[in-house]
Amino acid sequence: DAGITQSPRHKVTETGTPVTLRCHQTENHRYMYWYRQDPGHGLRLIHYSYGVKDTDKGEVSDGYSVSRSKTEDFLLTLESATSSQTSVYFCAISETRQGGRGYRDTQYFGPGTRLTVL
Amino acid sequence: QKEVEQNSGPLSVPEGAIASLNCTYSDRGSQSFFWYRQYSGKSPELIMSIYSNGDKEDGRFTAQLNKASQYVSLLIRDSQPSDSATYLCAGRSSASKIIFGSGTRLSIRP
């Protein structure tokens, strides 16, 4: 499972409330990502991080903010949840390595969080 | 235009045949490409990644990359019913973000 956990795994909330999703890794990987997955859209990148306090926007960042104060934790916040943010949210970690066995690039996903905004 | 494009399918292949999945990308600075398998209600699982032009084989799976044509493909030999899933293609852009296509649904018919 590549040492990635997400919390909570399920959440139901009401429109206008703030929501924070947590992603935790034990692998000490540099890159962390938040995606949302909706029918017909595949996985869409919300925000990503390339180090502590280093984050950048993805494809669908409006309405979301992130923070990474420690290597192991990447938080996704919906400041004021809307029904259009009802989705399954996946966190992923990634690492690139150049070593004796050549270049290697991997990405692994957490179990996902199902968020429903009523 | 999405940075990574896939035919959404569904693609139906008889058991034992070769399934061919295709993907194109627009960012010429992309360095790495990934193929994932995702079963309904589950997380995507990494099948393989490819970085250099040519073929890369891992068991029944072969990934092919053609950077000049900006094209990535995945071949699945001896397709099994358990291969029925959604297959996701992704590319790591020059800015290090990893962008996905919308996925191709593959169905292996007995």
Side-chain angles (χ1 to χ4, degrees), chain B residues 84-98:
Chain B
S84 296
T86 297
Y87 288 79
L88 301 164
C89 171
R92 182 190 290 279
S93 75
S94 49
S96 287
K97 54 186 179 181
I98 299 178

Side-chain angles (χ1 to χ4, degrees), chain A residues 8 39-40 52 55 60 74 83 92 100-101 104:
Chain A
V52 173
T55 66
V60 289
F74 192 32
S83 58
R101 294 175 66 182
R104 190 161 178 257

Side-chain angles (χ1 to χ4, degrees), chain B residues 7-12 104-107:
Chain B
N7 186 326
S8 62
L11 176 65
S12 181
T104 299
R105 282 174 42 216
L106 174 65
S107 175

Side-chain angles (χ1 to χ4, degrees), chain B residues 37-64:
Chain B
R37 176 176 62 197
Q38 186 177 28
Y39 294 113
S40 181
K42 302 294 186 182
S43 304
E45 304 168 72
L46 180 66
I47 299 172
M48 58 197 307
S49 47
I50 186 167
Y51 331 112
S52 305
N53 276 326
D55 295 358
K56 181 180 178 183
E57 188 174 317
D58 184 357
R60 295 188 296 114
F61 299 97
T62 299
Q64 301 173 317

